[in-house]
Amino acid sequence: MLHLRPRRDSTPVTNKWHNKFEENLEQWPHLKELVQCYTADWVKDENKYGHYEAVGPVSFQNQIYEGPDTDFETEMRLASARRTKADDTTDDDAPSTSGRKFAETSDSSNNLKHFGQSPLPAYEPAFDWENERAAIFGQRIPETPISHGLKISVKVLSLSFQAGLVEPFYGTICLYNKERREKLSEDFYFRVLPTDIKGANISVESRGIFYLDAPSASVCLLIQLEKHATEQGGVTSSVYSRKEPVHLTEREKQKLQVWSQIMPYRESFAWAIVSLFDNSIGAASGGSASPSSPLAPSVSGSSSHEGVFEPSAKITLDGKPGYTSGNSIVVEISNLNKVKESYTEDSLLDPKRKLHKPVKGVLRLEIEKHQIDHAELENISESGSVTNDSVDPGDHIADPTFGKLPINGSDVPQGSNSKWNSLDAKEISGNGSNVHGNPDFSPDDFQAFDFRTTTRNEPFLQLFHFLYVYPLNVSLSRKKNLFVRIELREDDADIRKQPLEAMYPREMGGSLQKWAQTQVAVQARVACYHDEIKLSLPATWTPTHHLLFTFFDVELQTKLEAPKPVVVGYASLPLSTHNQLRSEISLPIMRELVPHYLQDTCRERLDYLEDGKNVFRLRLRLCSSLYPINERIRDFFLEYDRHTLRTSPPWGSELLEAINSLKNVDSTALLQFLHPILNMLLHLIGNGGETLQVAAFRAMVNIVTRVQQESVDDAERNHFLVNYVDYAFDDFGGRQPPVYPGLSTVWGSLARSKAKGYRVGPVYDDVLAMAWFFLELIVKSMALEKTRLFYHSLPLGEDIPPMQLKEGVFRCIMQLYDCLLTEVHERCKKGLSLAKHLNSSLAFFCYDLLSIIEPRQVFELVSLYLDKFSGVCQSVLHDCKLTFLQIICDHDLFVEMPGRDPSDRNYLSSVLIQELFLTWDHDDLSLRAKAARILVVLLCKHEFDARYQKPEDKLYIAQLYFPLIGQILDEMPVFYNLNAVEKREVLIVILQIVRNLDDASLVKAWQLSIARTRLFFKLMEECLILFEHRKPADGMLMGSSSRSPPVGDGPASPKYSDKLSPAINNYLSEASRQEVRPQGTPESGYLWQRVNSQLSSPSQPYSLREALAQAQSSRIGASAQALRESLHPILRQKLELWEENLSDSVSLQVLEITEKFSMMSVSHSIATDYGKLDCVTAIFMSFLSRNQSLAFLKALFPVFNNVFNFHGATLMARENDRFLKQVTFHLLRLAVFRNDNIRKRAVIGLQILVRSSFYYFMQTARLRVMLIISLSELMSDVQVTQMKSDGTLEESGEARRLRKSLEEMADESKSANLLREGGLPENALLAIPEKMTENRWSWSEVKYLSNSLLIALDARLEHALLGSLMTMDRYAAAEGFYKLAMAFAPVPDLHIMWLLHLCDAHQQMQSWAEAAQCAVAVAGVVMQALVARNDGVWSKDHITSLRKICPMVSSEITFEASAAEVEGYGASKLTVDCAVKYLQLANKHFSQAELFHFCASILELVIPVYKSRRAYGQLAKCHTLLTNIYESILEQEASPIPFTDATYYRVGFYGERFGKLDRKEYVYREPRDVRLGDIMEKLSHIYESRMDGNHTLHIIPDSRQVKADELQPGVCYLQITAVDPVMEDEDLGSRRERIFSLSTGSVRARVFDRFLFDTPFTKNGKTQGGLEDQWKRRTVLQTEGSFPALVNRLLVTKSESLEFSPVENAIGMIETRTAALRNELEEPRSSDGDQLRRLQSLQRILQGSVAVQVNSGVLSFCTAFLSGEPATRLRSQELQQLIAALLEFMAVCKRAIRVHFRLIGEEDQEFHTQLVNGFQSLTAELSHYIPAILSEL
């Protein structure tokens, strides 16, 4: 409430005026007013400018945002460990990279129930209530009572002479202006005693304290020394100025000492001028303005007196800005000028004057500057620690902290309990004036009165009333030793009567004396003086008060006794005639005094010296705050006295005149007496008659307006007036009724007259302009009355209850308020600025009243205001309304305000919420921003308020603002129309409210309707979007992966946006205050030094503030990215830190709300969609899809676990497939992260999903599909390979980490630890959920799931590792696609996608059969899905027939296909048309491969579709196609050359450079025209490129068995062999040679999975031998799968071999020939065309069998086996077989020749003859070996 603040009365005890003359002031009411006005304590309302104690700001932690490739957490941990090891003594301010030290511990203020720090302090980390308040339009700024410039204290340390110091010296020091040649202050007296005088050490020299407005080169110290007048014939003072060094002799010393004790009178001795400031500094730069200026810009001798100033002890003057006490300089003044003849101050600086002789001596002074700096004011807050609130009003007890300060006999403590003791003021600082800055100011300090106090344009604030007398000179005709005595007398009636005790003594602390005397002018005809005589004046003086001067002559030598002065004459000066003269006065000197010497009648009779000339010149200086020099003011005072004492006639017209003439008083006089004049006028308003009231009010308006206009400061609220209201105005406590009823009545009636349309003159506009002043007066008057009412009745320590205004007065105030509102309303529309000021004043009026009167009365005024400005009004008016609310809601007790009815909640907050919401719907964008800002600032104010830190307070505040959320949810479009910055402001507020709400209120909010709950969570999503932290390089998915391209600044991120959000602005300017330390500590990372040339360049300013200003000014049109770049690195870092913390706290807050929601929805007590729980799922998707901090991710998984525990069934349901898929994707994404903490938590997340899957689906197939889909998507984002140094590819870190995560997921042994680290219970996976009975978790299932994912990962990796080889090694490429297709088989879409990739690859290689197989496989997937769904035309039989073509079409896919119904995936795409499309594609490729029999089967599958659709056109086409196909098959069969569709080769790989292929064999299927040489060339080309310098490639030329271990290391071997496919029913043990065309029924499908090749060998180790030694090995290979397959090569899985002996070999060869011929003969032929073909093939075979040369063909077998030694080795059985075979062969040949004869025509006759001859000769040859042949044939 109101506190007394003793005024800082700097009139020291030396200057203070006391009513010494015991006058009765009661008869002079105006004097009583004046004295009261100057001496009463100030009364200050502590609440007026608000009182705010904030808790400390939040400290930001470094948040860690990881990308997949980063592990900042570990880096930081290592760095901090390294740092602490390196030195534990690190400087505390060493900036860490973030500007704050890394703190491992979390903020202690985080109470347990919250996840993270509160979002609001993170949003406004540098919240500064003062700043925010100052931004309000029309904000009142608390004024401190006026203070001026600086103080200088001077202390005399010593005086020494070359000759020695033996006699006492005296002196004066004052401030002097050289240019204007005038004294600026009164004299400070000092004395220097020789050390050997007794008692010398007792005198503690005091300091003189002088006040200065500003440093100026012309201000100097004038020092004048005096000593006891020189004895005639004694030691003269010239001993002190002799050139040659000389010391006083003992005798001289004695003489001087004795004389100085006898001689009381002094003469002037020497003078000096010390410049305080250099010329270099202009008067403008106020001391501290330039940091480089030392104490004063210097205390250095200026050229006028060649002074040598040695700062003692060489204290350097590079003082720091804001020079503190204790940095004094010691000045040695050696240029003391000896006084040679009498001088005047004016003549001192006269250049024409010859210089006085210098004195050989030094005067040492200690000069100290006490800067009165605003910093000092700032250090003590408005609620300053010094203010002692416990001092009761009316008590005069000084605060004990200043107990040291003596009271100096005055009745008011001077170093009192006001915070202002730390201010600097000049005329207003008491002896304790700088208690803070310098506790060492002692009571002995002499504070010199500053003469400019009387000439300044500002109100007098303290009581002074004295006169300075300066005798200048006396001109006599004879030389005399003359001095003058001065006294003040009351009258001239009795000349013996003692004068008044009015003279101030020279020694400090002495009592007033009756007279004072000047120096002696020795032997001078014109005696000059430079004494200053100061005397105290009576409060009022009569014409008889006068000064009396007595002139004495004194002998300056000792005769018999001490010299006695002799009176020479007298002079008198009446005060009343000359008091205001500033000019010189000359008086005649009377020879003697007679009674009544003042009266003119006496004067004529008096005898005068020098013929009555005016020989005595003197000057006066009146300094008084009691006696106005201005006559009009004196008249007013006089009339006021008469009115008050009721001595004037009752109508008081003279008083009216006097009041009206105040208008014409000149401004200086008016200002000086402003306080008393206003007091008296208020007096008259308070209790004069109506006429007087109006006159006084008008005069007051006039005066106040003039003060506002004419004073120098152009603030809206004039400095002097504010000081008057805030401090000086006191409502005549108890002496009279309070002022406010009178003031409001007179003003109200004026306002009503105006409202009724009467002419009220220009005065009314002035009243409105100055309304603030009158409103504040009314308020203070009420406050004073309230304090008085309750002061005595209340027990100590209780709050004063609000005062209820009397009905009449309140009505009057209501009417006045109403009129003023109307003015605001009307003038606003005209756009007058006055209206806005008036609006603010009215708001402050309500604000002030809230502290004083019953709030409900104020609410009436507020509601009156809101009625006038209701709804959405014009922008100007609406702006006024916002300002009004802003001001009122800033009230200290805003939170604790009642409602309008006792049952209501806080009235103001409900009004505020209503109006702010309306504003967001306003068209004016700037108003929307303002409304959002008001809300944030207000909540910050509550949040940081030290009074409201308890949870229950926070809850109360949250409930106050909670209705706002309701309003937003009711009208969401209003919210969506706001721009990003405003949305952020609103959302931060919402989060803050919800954070502090209790669960019950939240449930209520969620109970209304499903839609509303959904909207609530929409807002939460907006929070995550708008406060997302994106690093500049963030890709959507992969955090800040180094590879992802930099994304543009999304509109979403709360960046340093084009329009800096208000919060960032505050924060950055706060950050920029922390100046950069130029020594650039290595820790800060930035060596931001001034030395660094490019950094101090204009583009990179040195100071952070400049840097910030520059960045802000250049921000127009730049993108947010560019703006960031333009910031100073340290600021950019601060900005990052801010964004990280803000984003983190917002995410954590939303997480906390989500968890609460999920807990509460368990009991179904909330209105939400329980089928989908879309609120929870949307928020989780939002969390996971954004880049989150480590702290957030750590908090997320326990919540994730709980949510799945409670709502697993819903979340895993089909409806939430989309959610589940996103979750799996993001969990896999996190499983790639390098940071182990994140990666492990992702594994836990996956396990939680698996657990839910077990419990709610009994199996994991669906989850597996999800995971495979997600893995597939992730793979397109993650780079699974990285380049090695040699240019080849290897598995990347990401892939390795993903593999590790997938393995850990199924690792039972690590599970418990994992869960514990992730903050979950160890049994989290095995715990059985509610309503479930058995444990369904199975590690083996999890292992299977994990493996299927690993297979997919490996397939993807292999495919990627091929990389550049893809184009070269087409086989591997196809295999890569194939593996991918198989790995992703559970997901039809992906399976199909990779099969189609494979199909493309085959088409490029022109492997048509394989391409066709791929198409068949795709069709198979589709058909199976359709059959499983029962919505196709096919049945299982069709699928079986399809499987005959492509065995790959498996059966297990059916169930999973249906499981894969995930958004964007699944069987919905799988239609009949789709199947038909791929069947047709297969058909096309098979026909390209000429495998027509497959085409036929495929078309048979297509036909049913067309049949069911009755698509006859299509059917016709199909049948035409079928016809063509069957014809093609016939054609193939009819061909004499057997048809082959492909050639097959076996390839073996041996060598480590082959990698996985090493020691494996494959069968390759190649087009039919590829020969062995071609494939050799092809393969060696592919694999040569893979060899490095140490390996060569070698091809093994034959097909023998390879023993891998015996091969040469360092060489890679390929073995390539042609192989033949084996028919299904073929007898592999048959020794016959194999000829394809022999296979009957070639229409059967050409599907091969076995192959053979024969290798000849001999037992004797040679590769070749004769027929008798030649063995044959037949090797049969079994492949994995059958050809044509989806790939061009298949792995050999099994290899068997048979061996044939040479004779079996021979028999086989013969039988093969026989079979071929027989086959040809028996084939039925029909048409003539066929005959020709048959003839040709018959001719070919016969030619090779019969027409043979000697020893070849059949004959060679006979020679080999049937002759000589081999024949003996043959078993008889073998011999029989060989002979039988030969005989059969010959018989078939004979038959063939016959048939040939039948077929031939003329032209072949000759050929036939040759055949017959050949046959006969062959028979003859054979008969040698087999005689029986002749009989056979």
Side-chain angles (χ1 to χ4, degrees), residues 913-929:
I913 287 171
Q914 196 55 48
E915 291 298 335
L916 292 183
F917 193 76
L918 267 179
T919 313
W920 291 332
D921 210 8
H922 201 284
D923 301 337
D924 188 327
L925 301 180
S926 61
L927 288 181
R928 292 184 193 176

Side-chain angles (χ1 to χ4, degrees), residues 212-231:
L212 258 184
D213 282 347
S216 141
S218 55
V219 175
C220 51
L221 289 179
L222 170 62
I223 302 167
Q224 306 185 56
L225 291 177
E226 51 186 48
K227 58 188 268 300
H228 293 281
T230 315
E231 183 182 4

Side-chain angles (χ1 to χ4, degrees), residues 1406-1605:
Q1406 297 193 338
S1407 312
W1408 304 118
E1410 284 78 7
Q1413 284 286 35
C1414 293
V1416 171
V1418 173
V1421 174
V1422 181
M1423 283 169 70
Q1424 275 171 318
L1426 294 170
V1427 168
R1429 286 204 315 238
N1430 275 336
D1431 65 351
V1433 280
W1434 293 295
S1435 64
K1436 291 193 174 154
D1437 305 346
H1438 290 108
I1439 288 176
T1440 320
S1441 67
L1442 193 65
R1443 200 170 295 131
K1444 283 185 185 152
I1445 304 174
C1446 178
M1448 232 270 324
V1449 177
S1450 63
S1451 54
E1452 62 173 328
I1453 209 159
T1454 49
F1455 172 75
E1456 306 236 336
S1458 55
E1461 270 303 330
V1462 182
E1463 177 206 5
Y1465 289 89
S1468 53
K1469 285 192 196 157
L1470 309 180
T1471 58
V1472 175
D1473 287 338
C1474 180
V1476 170
K1477 181 172 105 184
Y1478 289 115
L1479 286 171
Q1480 286 174 337
L1481 180 68
N1483 180 35
K1484 175 180 146 195
H1485 288 325
F1486 274 136
S1487 55
Q1488 279 171 304
E1490 300 185 33
L1491 296 172
F1492 297 113
H1493 42 280
F1494 285 145
C1495 298
S1497 323
I1498 284 171
L1499 281 174
E1500 278 157 19
L1501 289 171
V1502 177
I1503 288 170
V1505 178
Y1506 294 142
K1507 275 189 178 160
S1508 69
R1509 297 183 179 173
R1510 309 221 167 110
Y1512 299 122
Q1514 298 289 353
L1515 277 171
K1517 273 188 192 164
C1518 279
H1519 283 92
T1520 316
L1521 269 175
L1522 267 177
T1523 315
N1524 295 342
I1525 285 166
Y1526 290 133
E1527 282 173 358
S1528 305
I1529 293 176
L1530 282 174
E1531 202 175 311
Q1532 278 180 1
E1533 293 185 349
S1535 158
I1537 303 166
F1539 168 73
T1540 53
D1541 62 323
T1543 55
Y1544 296 90
Y1545 296 95
R1546 179 202 71 138
V1547 181
F1549 295 90
Y1550 307 97
E1552 58 197 43
R1553 283 298 285 178
F1554 288 128
K1556 289 188 178 174
L1557 299 178
D1558 184 17
R1559 306 195 180 198
K1560 289 200 177 143
E1561 295 182 9
Y1562 283 87
V1563 173
Y1564 280 66
R1565 179 179 191 276
E1566 291 291 320
R1568 56 177 170 221
D1569 52 353
V1570 173
R1571 299 281 162 261
L1572 187 60
D1574 302 337
I1575 191 167
M1576 279 185 179
E1577 189 184 332
K1578 197 163 162 188
L1579 291 179
S1580 51
H1581 177 64
I1582 288 175
Y1583 291 107
E1584 258 165 8
S1585 63
R1586 295 200 194 173
M1587 297 300 133
D1588 55 5
N1590 311 328
H1591 289 80
T1592 52
L1593 184 69
H1594 212 79
I1595 293 188
I1596 299 174
D1598 49 35
S1599 53
R1600 62 168 181 238
Q1601 280 175 319
V1602 177
K1603 296 198 174 84
D1605 301 332

Side-chain angles (χ1 to χ4, degrees), residues 638-780:
L638 187 70
E639 290 300 336
Y640 176 80
D641 287 357
R642 291 173 58 193
H643 170 78
T644 312
L645 297 171
R646 304 274 191 277
T647 52
S648 61
W651 51 86
S653 54
E654 285 87 350
L655 178 55
L656 282 178
E657 242 167 75
I659 289 175
N660 290 331
S661 67
L662 283 174
K663 293 176 188 166
N664 307 321
V665 175
D666 78 285
S667 57
T668 306
L670 183 65
L671 264 177
Q672 289 180 337
F673 286 92
L674 179 67
H675 291 186
I677 290 177
L678 290 179
N679 278 345
M680 291 178 204
L681 288 173
L682 280 170
H683 228 152
L684 295 171
I685 290 174
N687 63 356
E690 193 178 339
T691 322
L692 267 181
Q693 272 189 330
V694 172
F697 182 64
R698 287 183 173 238
M700 196 163 163
V701 172
N702 181 274
I703 289 171
V704 171
T705 311
R706 271 185 66 191
V707 171
Q708 176 82 36
Q709 288 163 355
E710 291 176 18
S711 62
V712 263
D713 84 87
D714 48 359
E716 273 132 30
R717 294 159 76 242
N718 176 275
H719 188 77
F720 302 133
L721 296 175
V722 174
N723 269 320
Y724 173 70
V725 180
D726 282 0
Y727 299 103
F729 169 64
D730 187 349
D731 206 357
F732 323 108
R735 290 180 291 143
Q736 287 169 345
V739 169
Y740 70 87
L743 195 51
S744 30
T745 313
V746 65
W747 185 6
S749 62
L750 185 69
R752 282 199 302 284
S753 315
K754 164 78 164 49
K756 288 176 188 162
Y758 297 131
R759 294 181 57 188
V760 287
V763 69
Y764 194 69
D765 277 4
D766 293 343
V767 178
L768 292 182
M770 299 310 296
W772 66 267
F773 178 70
F774 294 107
L775 291 170
E776 288 181 30
L777 275 180
I778 291 176
V779 169
K780 182 151 181 196

